[in-house]
Amino acid sequence: MTDRRILIVFGTRPEAIKLFPVVAALRAIPGLSVRTCVTAQHRGLLDQVLSIAGLVPDIDLDLMEPGQSLDRLTARLLTGLGEVMDAEKPDRVIVQGDTATAMVGALTAYYRKIPVAHVEAGLRSGDIYHPWPEEVNRRIVAPIADLHFAPTETSAAALRAENIAPASIHVTGNTVIDALLWTQARIAADPSLAAALDPLAARFAGKRIVLVTTHRRENFGDGMANIARAIARIAQRDDVAIVFPVHPNPNVVAVMDDLLGDRPNIARIEPLDYPQFIRALDMAHLVLTDSGGVQEEAPALGKPVLVMRETTERPEGVTAGTAKLVGTGEDRIVSEIFNLLDDKGAYSAMARAHNPFGDGQAAARIAGVVADAF
C-alpha cells in the first residue's frame, strides 16, 4: 500500500510557528508522506521560522509582492495552489488559522474534493470586521473542513453552534505552546540563538520592559497614531523601557517614524526571529499588543497582556484574567499600563502563570487524529 499523501499549506510567520510541530509529529508516523507548500505571504518573517525549525519547504510559491491588495493576493493564491494540488494530488490538505493562505488553501482543496483539516479551528470574535479579514477567513474554512482541531473547549463550542458535526471537532490545545516550549528548550541548550538581544538587556537593565507589537489592519490610521502617542507617554517614565519590534508594513513604520522619532527609553527594532521574540517575551514585565498569537504565548510565561483591540477571538485569556481588552484609545492604553506598573495587586492577578491555551502536546494529538482518519 502506498503512503497517504498529506499537503500542509502555509504562508505567514504565525502559521509556520504553529505548524512546524505538526509537520514533525506527522513525519514521525509511518505510512504518511508529508509535503509542505509555502505561499510566502510573509517572505522574510516566514523564512526566519523555517530556519530555526530546520524546515525546508517542498514547494515555495513566493507570492509576496509589495503593497499587494487582498483581491490580487487571493487570486494569485487560488491559481498557484490549484496548480500545486493538481501536481501533488494529496489525500488530505492541512491549513492553519485565519490567513488568506488558509482560506484559499481550503477552497482550492474543496474544488478538487480533497479533505481538509483545519488547525486552530473555531476562533470567533463575532464581528466580521474585527479582526479583518481574518474572522471571515476562518468562517469560510469551517464548512469545508472535515477535521477541526479546536485549541480550547470555547472554540469547539463555537463550531458546534455553527452546526459543525461534533464528531469532526477535536479539542487539542494550541500548537503555539508546543512551538514555544520547544524553542525555549533550544535557547536553554544554545543561548547564542537569542544572544542578539544581549545589548538591549544591558541597555535597559533595571527598567521594567513593556514589549509592544502592533500590525492589525483595522488599527491602521487613527488607531495606529493613538498607539504611537500612548507609547510616547509611557516612555516618559524613568522606570520603564519600551521594546518595540516594528512590523515592516508601511502603515506601521511611517506612523511610528513620524510620532515617536528617537527616544532613549524606546528601542524600535527590526522584527525579531522566533527565538529572539521568545527571549523578549521572557525579558518583558508586561505586553502591549494587537496580535492574536501573542495573547496565547505571553500567558505561558506569566506575562500580563493588554490587547489593543475592541474584540478578541481568543476570549479564554480574558476569562482566565491573563489578558485584557483595552482598545486603541490613547488615554485608556496609558491608564491601563500605569495601573499594572503601579498596582502590584493588579499586576500579580494577571501575571499568574495560567495558560488556557494548551500543554505542549497539541501536535501529537493532531497527528494521531489525522492518521486515524485514513
Side-chain angles (χ1 to χ4, degrees), residues 57-122:
D58 298 295
I59 303 145
D60 191 335
L61 294 179
D62 197 22
L63 294 179
M64 182 66 178
E65 286 182 349
Q68 188 162 229
S69 67
L70 285 173
D71 43 11
R72 176 165 171 78
L73 172 62
T74 300
R76 296 179 73 218
L77 285 167
L78 197 59
T79 54
L81 288 173
E83 291 170 2
V84 168
M85 291 186 199
D86 288 341
E88 292 285 313
K89 294 182 170 53
D91 297 300
R92 174 170 294 282
V93 168
I94 296 177
V95 298
Q96 194 282 332
D98 56 16
T99 65
T101 292
M103 183 269 285
V104 176
L107 189 61
T108 308
Y110 168 70
Y111 286 161
R112 289 154 181 80
K113 297 184 178 179
I114 301 167
V116 173
H118 188 196
V119 175
E120 198 184 69

Side-chain angles (χ1 to χ4, degrees), residues 204-208 233-241 264-265 338 341:
F204 292 146
K207 293 184 184 291
R208 289 180 289 178
R233 286 171 59 187
I234 295 161
Q236 289 174 358
R237 290 180 58 136
D238 292 336
D239 61 334
V240 170
N265 276 13
F338 284 7
L341 290 171

Side-chain angles (χ1 to χ4, degrees), residues 199-284:
L200 208 55
R203 173 181 168 188
F204 292 146
K207 293 184 184 291
R208 289 180 289 178
I209 290 174
V210 178
L211 178 64
V212 178
T213 74
T214 179
H215 70 280
R216 296 235 61 84
R217 286 186 178 91
E218 60 266 29
N219 285 343
F220 292 170
D222 291 344
M224 201 59 65
N226 287 340
I227 291 167
R229 284 190 286 266
I231 291 169
R233 286 171 59 187
I234 295 161
Q236 289 174 358
R237 290 180 58 136
D238 292 336
D239 61 334
V240 170
I242 309 290
V243 173
F244 187 178
V246 181
H247 194 279
N249 191 299
N251 291 289
V252 180
V253 175
V255 173
M256 298 306 160
D257 283 347
D258 183 42
L259 295 177
L260 290 181
D262 289 324
R263 296 168 187 258
N265 276 13
I266 301 178
R268 284 194 294 144
I269 57 178
E270 293 293 312
L272 298 170
D273 69 22
Y274 191 54
Q276 291 170 4
F277 182 73
I278 296 304
R279 183 180 176 194
L281 263 182
D282 213 19
M283 289 165 51

